[in-house]
Amino acid sequence: MTTSAATRLLQDTRYLPYLPLIYIAWADGELTDEELASIRLLAATRLAPGIDNEPVLASWLDPSEPPSATSLLRLLERIQTLAARVPEQERSTLARFGAALARVGDGELLPSVERALAELEDALGVVSAEAVSAILNDSSPAKPSPAKAPARSFDVGTMTRTLDGRDHAARNHIRDLLAEPLFRHQYPRSTARYREQVWTWLARLAEAGVGALAYPEVTGAAPDLGAFIASFEALSDFDLSLVVKTGVQFGLFGGALYFLGTARHRELLPRVATAALPGCFAMTETGHGSNVRALETTATFDQDADAWIINTPSDAGRKDYIGNAACHARVAVVFAQLHIADVSYGVHAFLVPIRGDDGQPAPGVSIEDCGEKMGLSGVDNGRLRFADVRVPRDNLLDRYASVSRRGEYSSPIPSADRRFFTMIGTLVAGRVSVACGGVAAARVALTVAIRYATRRRQFGPADGHEVPILDYQTHQLRLMPALAAAYALTFALRDLTARYLARDESTAREVETRAAALKAAATWYATATIQRCRECCGGAGYLAVNRFTALKADTDVFTTFEGDNTVLMQLAAKGLLSEYKAQLGSTRITSILRHLVARASAGVKELDPVSSRLRSAAHLRDPDVQQELLDHRYDRLLWSVADRLRRQITGGVDSFTAMNSCQQELVHLASAYAEREVLACFRSAIEGVRDPEVQRALELLRSLYALERIDDDAAWFLSAGVVEASKARAIHREVVTLCAELTPLAPRLVDAFAIPETALDAPIARRERG
């Protein structure tokens, strides 16, 4: 384009009506051939005679010589200078705006030209109001959008107490401790320094009585394991290395003494509770993780010495990943195969000193630091080997089995299988605690991401106002379902904790099944949610000070800690297939064939065929409808897996092979079980709420949790004929709608997590003042 043509367009008032269209035509990029042809044709046939003799318009519309950036900027300045005199009502379309420019600029405007402008505008396919707004604001810096009126909401304190449940006081005790100056994150930090810092924090918790909560020998009162689990969870708001270290010292080590030992072992608990006796829990071996029965470490009774001889027979049998072992532990609870003469009595627990008072390894004990890890760098994980380590006979934790001076083995539980599962079952608290800790970490991530999303503004409508990124639908769809799941899982884990505390012989197996499924579901959820929240914070989420570095690294192991999640889901599914879970534990399922056949022959209740097509919001948000869909999926999957196993086994396939061929279905079954139980617990929690605004918010969260879970498994619901395609689409639309409805409540919903500001300590999530 020639300099003359550029100057002529800006100076000749006869071109004023065309300026907005020409600018918009070039502003978003090069003209397409179709757009150019339309504009050229209209310009050539509808212009007043003589206006374009040079030709100026043709030069501005030549794709081979587009206007320079300077020419386009001068064009915009010319328009904006005149626009200050154009009334607001004349800015509704580019054609009207161009005509108004001609009038205020003393230009020439014929009726035929105004009609031609309207046709040009239509040919370009622009959105008139946005196009005019873009012109008038293009040179101005973006402005923040006006503050929105606060949404109808709820009392945050009431919501916090609802979430906290019966152990609200214990959680508040931890929150108060975390507000102390001692508890602060430090960056950067070396592994050695971090480990010592975590030990200092743990000592403060012990001093404050946290370690004594579950030991009546220390408090002189009834044990309050629920308060201990609540404290463990509340610590997750701050530092997960401290959480794990606390769990090892007071939960696993102290818990083993309390649950597996007898009076002489419990005498040690006051020293455990004050951290005067640091200990560790040595179960896992390099070659044997979840398969506790196959542990190789041996404890052989020496009758002459009235002692146990502890040995590590191979590299695969060394104790591995043992928390507290590399630096601080003085004593270990060691799980080993108990041998008397030539008879093996299976896995039992023994109290074995591993360090002397000087901190050096005890005779026959080799201690190795596991070294740097992906996360939890404040936990000193180590490896232990034993070479003819001798401990007194009384060091057997003998609540469920004892050995006399003469080497006579006795147990109040005759069955070896039942004895093993009873012993392991006392440790279910570990899975409950890890699940609670994982969800707590996800709540921290959500708090950071949602607070950030309400403040971080980016892009916006053409009027120049930038909007909070939480206003974007995709952002809502990334965060709101995770927020709903955080509430749902929190209530489910409160219920699981209560069931664990109230368990007896008749309910123990069901609690173990529930704990296995929920631990897996909760920690998988935590891993996915923390990653999603990190992404939602962009580059700011990549900075260590904003917590995601530690949250991601530290929680990753939760998916395998206290049992690999996939294995736990299979374990839960086996428990669901029969009330005789102990028989399934070794995959010997022929004994429950009658049960499976009965289940298969009974069939599964079919849903109302009309219901598969209903798609109104009232129908989809009905809690009974949501529960029925999740229950039906669980029942169908249970029947399907049971029937498949029955057919294989009756066809001659051995039970191990049959079970192995169904692993994928077993995991799906356990996941379906977890989700239906989570929803049931959420509903039960809402029923106990009296505050109408809190109840309303929880009902929105409950509907979003349930419908998003159904939407996530839409392939199964469609293939099984449970819902029709139109209903599946309606469910997805309702998920989108619920996300939008919950967004205004989201800041208060994360505030209700009651994470202390000093514990959260993420610059992008600090409360706004004023």
Side-chain angles (χ1 to χ4, degrees):
M1 182 179 66
T2 66
T3 303
S4 174
T7 303
R8 178 80 179 275
L9 183 79
L10 299 179
Q11 294 179 348
D12 193 327
T13 58
R14 292 177 299 172
Y15 292 109
L16 288 176
Y18 302 96
L19 300 190
L21 274 168
I22 291 174
Y23 176 77
I24 288 297
W26 286 108
D28 289 335
E30 293 185 0
L31 297 172
T32 66
D33 290 343
E34 184 179 350
E35 290 171 337
L36 183 62
S38 298
I39 296 172
R40 278 181 176 276
L41 177 63
L42 287 167
T45 60
R46 303 293 294 278
L47 292 175
I51 189 175
D52 208 32
N53 293 334
E54 286 200 20
V56 173
L57 288 177
S59 296
W60 273 84
L61 299 173
D62 185 354
S64 66
E65 292 187 59
S68 67
T70 300
S71 296
L72 202 61
L73 180 59
R74 288 176 178 170
L75 172 59
L76 177 61
E77 291 172 345
R78 171 71 166 150
I79 296 171
Q80 291 180 338
T81 299
L82 291 170
R85 295 154 55 191
V86 175
E88 188 70 32
Q89 62 269 23
E90 297 295 324
R91 301 177 181 184
S92 59
T93 68
L94 287 174
R96 290 191 68 184
F97 184 44
L101 290 179
R103 284 192 289 271
V104 301
D106 299 323
E108 182 179 350
L109 180 66
L110 298 175
S112 60
V113 173
E114 189 168 0
R115 288 193 296 272
L117 289 170
E119 292 180 38
L120 280 169
E121 185 172 358
D122 185 63
L124 286 173
V126 297
V127 180
S128 300
E130 290 189 4
V132 175
S133 184
I135 292 174
L136 296 180
N137 289 278
D138 226 3
S139 64
S140 305
K143 299 174 288 185
S145 58
K148 296 181 179 179
R152 176 186 172 192
S153 196
F154 53 85
D155 180 71
V156 171
T158 302
M159 183 67 84
T160 298
R161 289 188 292 275
T162 301
L163 274 173
D164 282 354
R166 65 177 289 271
D167 292 308
H168 178 63
R171 297 178 207 280
N172 273 346
H173 179 50
I174 295 298
R175 290 164 183 150
D176 290 342
L177 284 171
L178 294 179
E180 295 179 0
L182 175 66
F183 296 94
R184 295 293 183 273
H185 298 108
Q186 299 176 357
Y187 307 97
R189 54 195 178 196
S190 68
T191 296
R193 180 183 176 188
Y194 187 20
R195 287 175 173 180
E196 292 310 310
Q197 179 64 73
V198 170
W199 181 255
T200 300
W201 288 336
L202 183 139
R204 174 68 185 105
L205 296 179
E207 180 185 15
V210 174
L213 286 171
Y215 310 145
E217 285 79 3
V218 181
T219 63
D224 195 350
L225 188 56
F228 177 78
I229 293 174
S231 300
F232 179 94
E233 177 185 338
L235 288 170
S236 301
D237 291 344
F238 174 59
D239 187 278
L240 291 168
S241 285
L242 175 59
V243 169
V244 172
K245 191 88 165 178
T246 300
V248 169
Q249 173 67 19
F250 305 131
L252 292 177
F253 176 59
L257 296 179
Y258 180 74
F259 288 112
L260 301 181
T262 49
R264 60 176 174 272
H265 307 115
R266 294 179 183 178
E267 291 176 356
L268 298 173
L269 288 174
R271 295 176 61 208
V272 174
T274 59
L277 179 63
C280 61
F281 186 83
M283 175 182 282
T284 300
E285 294 181 354
T286 303
H288 308 282
S290 299
N291 191 3
V292 178
R293 285 190 175 206
L295 296 180
E296 293 185 26
T297 302
T298 59
T300 304
F301 184 59
D302 181 343
Q303 186 175 348
D304 293 337
D306 196 25
W308 299 101
I309 305 173
I310 312 297
N311 274 297
T312 301
S314 70
D315 287 344
R318 70 180 180 183
K319 297 299 180 180
D320 213 342
Y321 322 116
I322 309 304
N324 226 13
C327 296
H328 298 121
R330 296 289 186 267
V331 181
V333 171
V334 177
F335 287 79
Q337 302 285 352
L338 187 155
H339 294 283
I340 301 176
D342 294 328
V343 179
S344 174
Y345 290 90
V347 174
H348 291 66
F350 301 82
L351 203 57
V352 181
I354 61 171
R355 280 189 177 88
D357 293 337
D358 59 358
Q360 296 303 305
V365 178
S366 298
I367 303 175
E368 178 185 352
D369 195 321
C370 287
E372 297 293 333
K373 309 184 294 290
M374 283 180 62
L376 296 176
S377 296
V379 181
D380 52 315
N381 295 89
R383 302 184 179 103
L384 301 175
R385 295 173 185 268
F386 305 97
D388 293 330
V389 176
R390 291 177 174 267
V391 298
R393 175 171 54 88
D394 286 348
N395 280 30
L396 168 67
L397 299 184
D398 56 354
R399 180 176 180 180
Y400 297 109
S402 60
V403 175
S404 70
R405 178 69 181 81
R406 294 191 298 272
E408 297 168 332
Y409 181 91
S410 62
S411 171
I413 306 174
S415 167
D417 274 353
R418 187 179 162 208
R419 185 168 59 247
F420 174 78
F421 282 107
T422 299
M423 179 180 68
I424 297 300
T426 62
L427 307 175
V428 170
R431 288 174 184 163
V432 177
S433 298
V434 169
C436 291
V439 173
R443 294 197 298 261
V444 173
L446 285 163
T447 301
V448 175
I450 288 173
R451 284 189 182 177
Y452 178 73
T454 62
R455 301 168 192 168
R456 178 73 165 98
R457 298 172 185 271
Q458 193 79 105
F459 308 112
D463 64 3
H465 292 299
E466 289 191 308
V467 301
I469 58 177
L470 195 56
D471 284 1
Y472 289 100
Q473 186 185 79
T474 51
H475 217 75
Q476 295 170 7
L477 287 168
R478 294 163 84 183
L479 292 178
M480 294 304 104
L483 179 60
Y487 270 78
L489 285 163
T490 295
F491 287 123
L493 292 173
R494 300 284 180 268
D495 175 83
L496 174 62
T497 301
R499 290 172 185 266
Y500 172 73
L501 297 175
R503 76 196 186 286
D504 56 25
E505 189 173 343
S506 66
T507 60
R509 298 291 188 224
E510 189 276 332
V511 170
E512 290 170 31
T513 296
R514 185 177 291 254
L518 288 181
K519 183 269 179 181
T523 54
W524 270 331
Y525 155 80
T527 298
T529 296
I530 292 167
Q531 174 63 25
R532 187 179 307 162
C533 289
R534 206 295 299 161
E535 293 177 14
C536 285
C537 292
Y542 203 63
L543 299 177
V545 293
N546 287 322
R547 297 293 306 278
F548 290 107
T549 301
L551 287 171
K552 279 171 56 65
D554 291 348
T555 58
D556 191 77
V557 74
F558 282 18
T559 60
T560 51
F561 192 34
E562 293 293 331
D564 175 275
N565 280 358
T566 302
V567 174
L568 288 181
M569 281 298 195
Q570 294 175 65
L571 180 67
K574 291 177 182 180
L576 295 170
L577 285 168
S578 171
E579 63 188 277
Y580 304 112
K581 179 184 170 190
Q583 294 173 318
L584 285 167
S586 58
T587 68
R588 295 196 300 272
I589 60 176
T590 46
S591 59
I592 62 163
L593 270 176
R594 184 172 58 185
H595 170 74
L596 299 184
V597 171
R599 177 80 191 184
S601 61
V604 178
K605 177 185 175 183
E606 293 299 325
L607 290 173
D608 177 3
V610 176
S611 177
S612 68
R613 298 190 294 272
L614 295 176
R615 52 185 187 272
S616 70
H619 170 75
L620 296 177
R621 295 190 186 199
D622 185 333
D624 290 334
V625 171
Q626 297 161 1
Q627 192 72 58
E628 185 177 24
L629 285 169
L630 294 184
D631 287 351
H632 184 78
R633 178 182 58 169
Y634 167 72
D635 286 340
R636 286 276 290 270
L637 289 171
L638 181 62
W639 177 85
S640 176
V641 173
D643 187 54
R644 180 175 174 183
L645 288 171
R646 177 182 59 83
R647 285 186 284 106
Q648 289 196 54
I649 293 172
T650 55
V653 176
D654 68 90
S655 61
F656 177 85
T657 301
M659 190 68 75
N660 194 44
S661 70
C662 293
Q663 285 187 340
Q664 183 177 356
E665 290 87 348
L666 291 171
V667 172
H668 194 188
L669 169 63
S671 296
Y673 163 75
E675 289 174 4
R676 83 158 190 168
E677 294 303 317
V678 168
L679 179 59
C681 292
F682 204 161
R683 294 181 67 188
S684 178
I686 293 173
E687 288 173 0
V689 174
R690 295 295 173 259
D691 185 301
E693 294 304 323
V694 169
Q695 188 177 66
R696 172 181 169 272
L698 292 175
E699 285 173 346
L700 289 174
L701 290 163
R702 182 258 303 151
S703 280
L704 179 55
Y705 170 76
L707 294 179
E708 194 276 335
R709 290 293 79 207
I710 294 166
D711 187 40
D712 185 69
D713 203 14
W716 183 88
F717 284 98
L718 285 165
S719 65
V722 177
V723 300
E724 294 189 357
S726 59
K727 184 166 186 172
R729 290 192 294 270
I731 288 171
H732 180 74
R733 287 194 298 270
E734 200 62 29
V735 167
V736 175
T737 300
L738 284 162
C739 286
E741 290 182 27
L742 277 165
T743 294
L745 301 177
R748 294 177 70 82
L749 287 167
V750 295
D751 285 350
F753 295 152
I755 301 170
E757 293 300 310
T758 54
L760 187 64
D761 196 27
I764 61 173
R766 287 175 184 152
R767 291 184 185 275
E768 293 180 330
R769 296 180 179 179

